[in-house]
Amino acid sequence: MAQTPAFSDGLVWFKESLSALRRQPVALPGIVIFSTLVSGLLSGFPFIGAILASCWMPFGAVLTGYAARDTLEGRVPTYQMLPQIFRDAPSRWPLLGIGLLSSLWFEVEMVIFDYLGADAIAAWKITEKGIDFESVMANLPVTAFVTTVILYVPLLMMTVFAPLLVADKRQALGKSLFYSFFGVLRNLPPVVVFVVLLFGLTAGSGLILEALFAAIGLPNALPYVAPLLIAVLTTVAQAGIWVMYRDLFEQVRRGSV
């Protein structure tokens, strides 16, 4: 892993992620959107939707990661990678393990949220027009929300790079989670810089578009272009995951145990 993290690395990662989008403005977002749509489709299944979506997540992460890799290496990313990922027997079960762990973690978080936020949610009022917004704002489940966010951060740190470590470095399930968590922890400053820049791009893009539409007399047009904006921002984020993974784990050999 990288031994001397610097804040400037986050800026470099961000620029390279934008470069990936510029190089492949159609193919790369297309694969990212495909991965997101599959997740949404699977989550719609009754009873088992959340589990199916969680199990797809690691495979989708490898697909989008390899797509970003190919883009930055001058190749056009294709969907041919997907069956290869599923046929890769050594990584198939660890990837499923990451998905199942995520699903279980989410279920525990939801139970905790429901328990801590039960009183606040019970105070929400429902009228003939729907949920009363004022009652919601007066009874926000702040403790439940903050607690679940705090609990989600370790899961995110463990799983953000774990799928690529499994598929690309042939790491076992436990090793991949361990390396991912401490890879983020040891390189937290540049990772935070990248996240802040991504949030800044998100907020800035929204404000600029809103002001632009207001200036041309279309103040309500933003929701119509929001899906396109989300696709662009998600593509930058996914490309950033590959760029960070590549630099943080370049010293981890394939097959490392």
Side-chain angles (χ1 to χ4, degrees):
M1 282 184 256
Q3 301 298 316
T4 55
F7 283 99
S8 59
D9 293 337
L11 179 58
V12 173
W13 295 334
F14 185 70
K15 289 180 177 179
E16 197 164 359
S17 302
L18 293 175
S19 175
L21 176 64
R22 178 182 56 81
R23 294 185 186 189
Q24 291 293 339
V26 176
L28 182 57
I31 290 177
V32 173
I33 293 170
F34 168 79
S35 178
T36 304
L37 290 177
V38 170
S39 181
L41 178 64
L42 293 175
S43 65
F45 280 83
F47 306 113
I48 61 172
I51 296 176
L52 293 176
S54 294
C55 288
W56 160 256
M57 178 273 294
F59 294 93
V62 176
L63 174 66
T64 55
Y66 284 176
R69 174 200 64 187
D70 289 349
T71 295
L72 291 170
E73 292 179 357
R75 299 187 297 272
V76 178
T78 68
Y79 295 91
Q80 294 178 353
M81 297 177 291
L82 185 57
Q84 296 173 6
I85 295 169
F86 278 100
R87 287 198 301 264
D88 187 12
S91 65
R92 187 185 306 131
W93 292 111
L95 289 175
L96 285 173
I98 295 171
L100 291 173
L101 171 65
S102 299
S103 178
L104 177 61
W105 197 295
F106 280 130
E107 289 300 321
V108 172
E109 283 197 358
M110 290 302 98
V111 170
I112 294 173
F113 182 89
D114 291 341
Y115 175 76
L116 295 177
D119 293 339
I121 295 175
W124 294 359
K125 297 178 181 179
I126 300 178
T127 66
E128 295 179 354
K129 298 181 179 179
I131 298 178
D132 180 60
F133 183 72
E134 291 184 0
S135 68
V136 173
M137 294 304 297
N139 297 277
L140 289 175
V142 177
T143 301
F145 179 76
V146 171
T147 302
T148 51
V149 169
I150 292 174
L151 292 175
Y152 175 70
V153 170
L155 175 66
L156 180 61
M157 293 172 66
M158 286 191 295
T159 58
V160 64
F161 300 123
L164 288 168
L165 285 167
V166 167
D168 188 54
K169 301 295 186 183
R170 292 288 186 250
Q171 294 229 336
L173 173 60
K175 282 283 187 181
S176 67
L177 297 171
F178 176 87
Y179 267 69
S180 179
F181 181 87
F182 284 101
V184 174
L185 190 62
R186 292 178 59 184
N187 298 275
L188 198 56
V191 171
V192 169
V193 169
F194 177 85
V195 172
V196 169
L197 289 172
L198 184 62
F199 273 107
L201 177 64
T202 303
S205 300
L207 291 174
I208 291 173
L209 286 175
E210 188 173 8
L212 177 62
F213 287 134
I216 62 177
L218 298 172
N220 299 318
L222 184 59
Y224 295 98
V225 299
L228 178 60
L229 178 60
I230 292 172
V232 169
L233 296 171
T234 304
T235 300
V236 174
Q238 293 296 331
I241 291 175
W242 168 261
V243 173
M244 287 187 285
Y245 161 80
R246 180 200 63 198
D247 291 350
L248 298 184
F249 300 98
E250 61 183 352
Q251 296 179 20
V252 178
R253 298 186 304 276
R254 183 177 175 86
S256 174
V257 293

